[in-house]
Amino acid sequence: MRCRHRKEVTAHEYEKFHETYRQHQCAPRSKLYLADGYDIVRSYTEGMQIQEKKENKKRGVMALYALPDTRKLGLTEAQAYAVVWDTFQKIQKQAPRVEVYYGQDTGEKRQKGFDEIGVLLPIHGFEKRMLHHLDEIDGIVLSCREKMMKKAGAESLDLE
């Protein structure tokens, strides 16, 4: 039985993802997925209930990067967001049509929490230069990790 709400993966989309997966050397603590991204648009019904719609749906290659656990680093949300926001800006400058996501305390592996950045590169917008853009984004996210660690180190030195 098929679900009518799911858009099936086309042979072209799967092949492009598989090709990218085989050829791209992922940055440490990152993985690639075939994923669907969308914007959530919220509105109110006449009965004042919140209604959500998914718009601007895109299928693409999702690069998911683990970031250090900001709580364990001793960074405030504002400090973490400052570093992450700068990273978002650099990613968007490098590849303007990507979707960038950030979540705190979203990942867990071996009983260790971590924050994550997800970058969705729509297949139909990036298929010719997917590997190039992934390499660039890997470097930007690795730099983000280093900045978070340095910021945490500098903050702990200020407290002493």
Side-chain angles (χ1 to χ4, degrees), residues 67-84 102 104-105 115 144-159:
L67 296 177
D69 183 347
T70 52
R71 279 197 236 163
K72 285 187 181 173
L73 289 178
L75 295 177
T76 65
E77 278 191 35
Q79 291 169 321
Y81 276 122
V83 175
V84 170
Y102 172 63
Q104 288 186 316
D105 303 317
D115 299 352
C144 173
R145 289 177 184 164
E146 289 176 22
K147 286 178 186 174
M148 291 176 99
M149 299 299 281
K150 284 181 184 176
K151 189 162 204 60
E155 295 298 322
S156 67
L157 291 175
D158 289 344
L159 295 174

Side-chain angles (χ1 to χ4, degrees), residues 107-125:
E108 190 173 303
K109 189 171 188 176
R110 297 186 189 121
Q111 281 68 41
K112 292 183 180 180
F114 54 88
D115 299 352
E116 295 176 300
I117 286 183
V119 181
L120 180 73
L121 293 91
I123 289 172
H124 296 290

Side-chain angles (χ1 to χ4, degrees), residues 3-96:
C3 178
R4 279 194 263 158
H5 300 289
R6 278 182 132 167
K7 181 182 169 193
E8 290 189 29
V9 176
T10 66
H12 173 75
E13 291 168 334
Y14 182 77
E15 181 53 39
K16 187 60 188 174
F17 168 73
H18 197 255
E19 171 189 320
T20 302
Y21 187 86
R22 282 190 322 260
Q23 293 181 12
H24 180 66
Q25 178 69 40
C26 288
R29 298 185 66 211
S30 72
K31 290 189 177 186
L32 295 181
Y33 299 92
L34 179 61
D36 291 330
Y38 48 84
D39 298 327
I40 295 177
V41 178
R42 292 183 178 95
S43 60
Y44 290 95
T45 65
E46 285 187 30
M48 295 306 291
Q49 297 296 314
I50 295 176
Q51 180 177 3
E52 290 185 351
K53 289 183 190 174
K54 295 177 184 177
E55 294 184 358
N56 301 321
K57 294 179 184 179
K58 299 169 191 90
R59 176 156 295 142
V61 175
M62 169 71 82
L64 194 58
Y65 301 91
L67 296 177
D69 183 347
T70 52
R71 279 197 236 163
K72 285 187 181 173
L73 289 178
L75 295 177
T76 65
E77 278 191 35
Q79 291 169 321
Y81 276 122
V83 175
V84 170
W85 185 253
D86 183 51
T87 301
F88 272 35
Q89 297 299 317
K90 288 177 181 174
I91 291 170
Q92 291 278 268
K93 186 175 181 181
Q94 186 62 39

